[in-house]
Amino acid sequence: MEQRSERYGAFAEVRLRQAGAFTRAQAIEHGISDKVLLGRRRARQLQRVHTGVYVDFTGPLPWKTRLWAAWLSCGPEAVLTGVTALRMHGVAGSWRDDRIHVAVLHSRRVDPKSGVVVTRHRHLSALVQTSREPPTVRLEVALLVAAAVEQDVSRRAAVLFDACRQRLTTAARLLAELESLPELPGRRILRRILGEAAEGVQSFLEQAYLRRVERAHGLPRARRQVRAVDGGAVVYRDSEYAPYGVLVELDGQAGHAGHADPVGRWRDMTRDNAAAHLHARSPPSQVGEDRVPMWG
């Protein structure tokens, strides 16, 4: 009797760790027979989510429970990927896909499952951050996969620029990780976006300025995201043309309104105000007799 109680206690710990989800194999391992499972389903004490995967309550499933159920249904070698992995890494975003994204080995075939997107990779073990549970691809892999599936190129850029702007990773790390994903669609576009991020571009507006103004008109190359200290506060200049004493701040009021977080809006306004104050105090730069114009 005591041994059975210990097994039931251990099974409760498994379910707690897995947000209420468990497999038939786990139940049998802890002394729960198919007959008991069937009886509890009929008594509405549990529900089946996928073939061989249950949860120990009825009603709507929280996201974390759906995540565990999807991973358990795809086998122990599966890993979370894409936007699901980004949520596991704590990356906020306006993701329009609430499905659970799971990656498996390329040699495997997994039956379709409701609310689950399964992709296959040849070298899956090399992409995994094993310290997370369930296993999850590294942050850089998740960002690249999430960006690759976006149909809109501007949203692809936004995914990668935002991650670099928030200093979650760097363009160099993303470029290195891209080389480990030879089968990822849209690699040429992603490489071009990351090349611009490596130059300091951190928003779609800054990307448009780089392509349509600076490059298109043969302007000198600016230094981007230049760290500066004004009044004890650290600020970053969008584009600085140091030889000419010109700063270009591109976000403006539209950029501030577009920030999802008030901290980001406040940081940008502080930066812009400091830049305006700096130029108000400084004598105008000149070429011959003409003042160098401010762009933006």
Side-chain angles (χ1 to χ4, degrees), residues 213-245:
V213 178
E214 187 174 288
R215 290 176 180 170
H217 296 280
L219 299 179
R221 177 179 292 185
R223 294 174 61 218
R224 305 184 197 281
Q225 309 308 325
V226 179
R227 188 179 188 275
V229 178
D230 186 88
V234 176
V235 294
Y236 290 87
R237 316 295 192 199
D238 284 346
S239 301
E240 179 182 87
Y241 296 86
Y244 310 102

Short mmCIF file of all heavy atoms in Angstrom, two decimals, residues 213-245:
data_model
loop_
_atom_site.label_atom_id
_atom_site.label_comp_id
_atom_site.label_asym_id
_atom_site.label_seq_id
_atom_site.Cartn_x
_atom_site.Cartn_y
_atom_site.Cartn_z
N VAL A 213 17.77 56.54 -48.95
CA VAL A 213 18.37 57.86 -48.84
C VAL A 213 19.89 57.75 -48.91
O VAL A 213 20.52 58.25 -49.85
CB VAL A 213 17.93 58.57 -47.54
CG1 VAL A 213 18.60 59.93 -47.43
CG2 VAL A 213 16.41 58.72 -47.50
N GLU A 214 20.49 57.08 -47.92
CA GLU A 214 21.94 57.09 -47.84
C GLU A 214 22.57 56.39 -49.04
O GLU A 214 23.44 56.95 -49.73
CB GLU A 214 22.40 56.42 -46.54
CG GLU A 214 23.89 56.53 -46.30
CD GLU A 214 24.29 55.99 -44.94
OE1 GLU A 214 23.98 56.64 -43.93
OE2 GLU A 214 24.90 54.90 -44.89
N ARG A 215 22.15 55.15 -49.32
CA ARG A 215 22.75 54.42 -50.43
C ARG A 215 22.28 54.98 -51.77
O ARG A 215 23.08 55.13 -52.71
CB ARG A 215 22.40 52.93 -50.33
CG ARG A 215 23.10 52.22 -49.18
CD ARG A 215 22.63 50.78 -49.11
NE ARG A 215 23.27 50.04 -48.01
CZ ARG A 215 22.89 48.83 -47.61
NH1 ARG A 215 21.87 48.23 -48.22
NH2 ARG A 215 23.52 48.24 -46.61
N ALA A 216 20.98 55.25 -51.87
CA ALA A 216 20.42 55.68 -53.15
C ALA A 216 21.03 57.00 -53.64
O ALA A 216 21.16 57.22 -54.85
CB ALA A 216 18.90 55.82 -53.03
N HIS A 217 21.43 57.86 -52.72
CA HIS A 217 21.96 59.17 -53.09
C HIS A 217 23.47 59.28 -52.89
O HIS A 217 24.03 60.38 -52.97
CB HIS A 217 21.23 60.26 -52.31
CG HIS A 217 19.77 60.34 -52.63
ND1 HIS A 217 19.29 60.98 -53.76
CD2 HIS A 217 18.69 59.83 -52.00
CE1 HIS A 217 17.97 60.88 -53.80
NE2 HIS A 217 17.57 60.19 -52.75
N GLY A 218 24.11 58.15 -52.62
CA GLY A 218 25.56 58.16 -52.51
C GLY A 218 26.08 58.98 -51.36
O GLY A 218 27.17 59.57 -51.46
N LEU A 219 25.34 59.04 -50.25
CA LEU A 219 25.78 59.80 -49.09
C LEU A 219 26.91 59.05 -48.37
O LEU A 219 27.05 57.82 -48.51
CB LEU A 219 24.62 60.02 -48.13
CG LEU A 219 23.42 60.81 -48.68
CD1 LEU A 219 22.34 60.92 -47.62
CD2 LEU A 219 23.86 62.18 -49.16
N PRO A 220 27.69 59.75 -47.58
CA PRO A 220 28.71 59.06 -46.77
C PRO A 220 28.03 58.05 -45.84
O PRO A 220 26.87 58.21 -45.46
CB PRO A 220 29.36 60.19 -45.97
CG PRO A 220 29.02 61.44 -46.71
CD PRO A 220 27.70 61.20 -47.37
N ARG A 221 28.75 57.03 -45.47
CA ARG A 221 28.20 56.03 -44.55
C ARG A 221 28.21 56.58 -43.13
O ARG A 221 29.24 57.04 -42.63
CB ARG A 221 29.02 54.74 -44.60
CG ARG A 221 28.53 53.68 -43.61
CD ARG A 221 29.34 52.41 -43.70
NE ARG A 221 29.11 51.71 -44.95
CZ ARG A 221 29.63 50.52 -45.24
NH1 ARG A 221 30.43 49.92 -44.35
NH2 ARG A 221 29.38 49.95 -46.40
N ALA A 222 27.06 56.51 -42.48
CA ALA A 222 26.93 57.02 -41.12
C ALA A 222 27.41 55.98 -40.11
O ALA A 222 27.43 54.78 -40.39
CB ALA A 222 25.48 57.37 -40.82
N ARG A 223 27.79 56.46 -38.94
CA ARG A 223 27.96 55.59 -37.79
C ARG A 223 26.60 55.47 -37.12
O ARG A 223 25.93 56.50 -36.90
CB ARG A 223 28.98 56.16 -36.80
CG ARG A 223 30.40 56.23 -37.34
CD ARG A 223 31.30 56.94 -36.35
NE ARG A 223 31.36 56.22 -35.08
CZ ARG A 223 31.40 56.80 -33.88
NH1 ARG A 223 31.33 58.13 -33.78
NH2 ARG A 223 31.46 56.07 -32.78
N ARG A 224 26.15 54.26 -36.82
CA ARG A 224 24.79 54.06 -36.32
C ARG A 224 24.79 53.58 -34.88
O ARG A 224 25.70 52.89 -34.44
CB ARG A 224 24.04 53.06 -37.21
CG ARG A 224 24.06 53.47 -38.67
CD ARG A 224 23.24 52.58 -39.58
NE ARG A 224 23.67 52.83 -40.96
CZ ARG A 224 23.27 53.87 -41.69
NH1 ARG A 224 22.44 54.74 -41.17
NH2 ARG A 224 23.74 54.04 -42.90
N GLN A 225 23.71 53.95 -34.18
CA GLN A 225 23.54 53.59 -32.77
C GLN A 225 24.79 53.98 -31.98
O GLN A 225 25.37 53.17 -31.26
CB GLN A 225 23.22 52.10 -32.62
CG GLN A 225 22.08 51.61 -33.49
CD GLN A 225 20.82 52.44 -33.35
OE1 GLN A 225 20.51 52.94 -32.27
NE2 GLN A 225 20.09 52.61 -34.45
N VAL A 226 25.18 55.21 -32.13
CA VAL A 226 26.39 55.72 -31.48
C VAL A 226 26.07 56.02 -30.02
O VAL A 226 25.16 56.80 -29.70
CB VAL A 226 26.91 56.98 -32.18
CG1 VAL A 226 28.14 57.51 -31.46
CG2 VAL A 226 27.22 56.68 -33.64
N ARG A 227 26.82 55.40 -29.12
CA ARG A 227 26.59 55.61 -27.69
C ARG A 227 27.11 56.98 -27.28
O ARG A 227 28.22 57.36 -27.63
CB ARG A 227 27.29 54.52 -26.89
CG ARG A 227 26.99 54.51 -25.39
CD ARG A 227 27.73 53.36 -24.72
NE ARG A 227 27.34 53.17 -23.34
CZ ARG A 227 27.87 53.82 -22.32
NH1 ARG A 227 28.81 54.73 -22.53
NH2 ARG A 227 27.46 53.59 -21.09
N ALA A 228 26.29 57.70 -26.53
CA ALA A 228 26.68 59.03 -26.04
C ALA A 228 26.11 59.21 -24.65
O ALA A 228 25.16 58.54 -24.25
CB ALA A 228 26.17 60.12 -26.98
N VAL A 229 26.72 60.11 -23.88
CA VAL A 229 26.25 60.42 -22.53
C VAL A 229 25.89 61.89 -22.49
O VAL A 229 26.70 62.76 -22.85
CB VAL A 229 27.32 60.10 -21.47
CG1 VAL A 229 26.81 60.49 -20.08
CG2 VAL A 229 27.70 58.63 -21.51
N ASP A 230 24.67 62.19 -22.07
CA ASP A 230 24.22 63.57 -21.97
C ASP A 230 23.53 63.75 -20.62
O ASP A 230 22.53 63.09 -20.34
CB ASP A 230 23.25 63.92 -23.10
CG ASP A 230 22.89 65.40 -23.10
OD1 ASP A 230 23.63 66.17 -23.74
OD2 ASP A 230 21.90 65.76 -22.45
N GLY A 231 24.09 64.63 -19.78
CA GLY A 231 23.49 64.86 -18.47
C GLY A 231 23.48 63.62 -17.60
O GLY A 231 22.58 63.43 -16.78
N GLY A 232 24.45 62.75 -17.79
CA GLY A 232 24.53 61.53 -17.01
C GLY A 232 23.71 60.39 -17.57
O GLY A 232 23.79 59.26 -17.06
N ALA A 233 22.92 60.63 -18.61
CA ALA A 233 22.09 59.58 -19.21
C ALA A 233 22.75 59.05 -20.48
O ALA A 233 23.27 59.82 -21.29
CB ALA A 233 20.71 60.12 -19.53
N VAL A 234 22.72 57.73 -20.66
CA VAL A 234 23.26 57.11 -21.86
C VAL A 234 22.20 57.14 -22.95
O VAL A 234 21.06 56.74 -22.73
CB VAL A 234 23.69 55.66 -21.59
CG1 VAL A 234 24.15 54.99 -22.88
CG2 VAL A 234 24.81 55.63 -20.56
N VAL A 235 22.55 57.65 -24.12
CA VAL A 235 21.64 57.70 -25.26
C VAL A 235 22.36 57.10 -26.47
O VAL A 235 23.59 56.98 -26.49
CB VAL A 235 21.19 59.15 -25.56
CG1 VAL A 235 20.35 59.71 -24.43
CG2 VAL A 235 22.40 60.05 -25.83
N TYR A 236 21.57 56.71 -27.47
CA TYR A 236 22.13 56.14 -28.70
C TYR A 236 21.61 56.94 -29.89
O TYR A 236 20.39 57.09 -30.07
CB TYR A 236 21.76 54.66 -28.83
CG TYR A 236 22.46 53.79 -27.81
CD1 TYR A 236 21.90 53.60 -26.55
CD2 TYR A 236 23.67 53.18 -28.11
CE1 TYR A 236 22.55 52.82 -25.60
CE2 TYR A 236 24.34 52.39 -27.16
CZ TYR A 236 23.76 52.22 -25.91
OH TYR A 236 24.40 51.45 -24.99
N ARG A 237 22.53 57.45 -30.72
CA ARG A 237 22.16 58.24 -31.89
C ARG A 237 21.89 57.29 -33.06
O ARG A 237 22.70 56.40 -33.34
CB ARG A 237 23.29 59.18 -32.29
CG ARG A 237 23.95 59.93 -31.14
CD ARG A 237 23.01 60.89 -30.46
NE ARG A 237 23.73 61.79 -29.56
CZ ARG A 237 23.15 62.46 -28.58
NH1 ARG A 237 21.85 62.35 -28.39
NH2 ARG A 237 23.86 63.25 -27.80
N ASP A 238 20.77 57.51 -33.76
CA ASP A 238 20.44 56.64 -34.90
C ASP A 238 21.55 56.64 -35.94
O ASP A 238 22.06 55.60 -36.33
CB ASP A 238 19.12 57.10 -35.55
CG ASP A 238 17.91 56.70 -34.73
OD1 ASP A 238 18.05 55.86 -33.83
OD2 ASP A 238 16.82 57.23 -35.00
N SER A 239 21.88 57.84 -36.45
CA SER A 239 22.91 57.96 -37.49
C SER A 239 23.72 59.22 -37.23
O SER A 239 23.15 60.30 -37.05
CB SER A 239 22.28 58.03 -38.88
OG SER A 239 21.51 56.87 -39.14
N GLU A 240 25.03 59.07 -37.24
CA GLU A 240 25.90 60.20 -36.97
C GLU A 240 26.91 60.34 -38.11
O GLU A 240 27.62 59.39 -38.45
CB GLU A 240 26.64 60.02 -35.65
CG GLU A 240 27.59 61.17 -35.31
CD GLU A 240 28.34 60.92 -34.01
OE1 GLU A 240 29.40 60.26 -34.07
OE2 GLU A 240 27.84 61.35 -32.96
N TYR A 241 26.93 61.53 -38.70
CA TYR A 241 27.92 61.85 -39.73
C TYR A 241 28.94 62.78 -39.08
O TYR A 241 28.87 64.01 -39.20
CB TYR A 241 27.23 62.52 -40.92
CG TYR A 241 26.23 61.61 -41.62
CD1 TYR A 241 24.92 61.53 -41.17
CD2 TYR A 241 26.61 60.83 -42.71
CE1 TYR A 241 24.00 60.70 -41.79
CE2 TYR A 241 25.69 60.00 -43.34
CZ TYR A 241 24.39 59.94 -42.88
OH TYR A 241 23.48 59.11 -43.49
N ALA A 242 29.86 62.16 -38.35
CA ALA A 242 30.78 62.92 -37.49
C ALA A 242 31.57 64.00 -38.22
O ALA A 242 31.71 65.12 -37.71
CB ALA A 242 31.71 61.95 -36.77
N PRO A 243 32.12 63.74 -39.42
CA PRO A 243 32.92 64.79 -40.07
C PRO A 243 32.12 66.05 -40.38
O PRO A 243 32.69 67.13 -40.54
CB PRO A 243 33.40 64.12 -41.36
CG PRO A 243 33.30 62.65 -41.09
CD PRO A 243 32.12 62.50 -40.19
N TYR A 244 30.79 65.93 -40.46
CA TYR A 244 29.96 67.06 -40.85
C TYR A 244 29.13 67.62 -39.69
O TYR A 244 28.35 68.55 -39.87
CB TYR A 244 29.01 66.65 -41.99
CG TYR A 244 29.74 65.96 -43.11
CD1 TYR A 244 29.68 64.57 -43.24
CD2 TYR A 244 30.52 66.68 -44.02
CE1 TYR A 244 30.36 63.92 -44.26
CE2 TYR A 244 31.20 66.04 -45.04
CZ TYR A 244 31.12 64.66 -45.16
OH TYR A 244 31.80 64.02 -46.15
N GLY A 245 29.27 67.03 -38.50
CA GLY A 245 28.51 67.49 -37.35
C GLY A 245 27.02 67.30 -37.51
O GLY A 245 26.22 68.09 -37.02
#
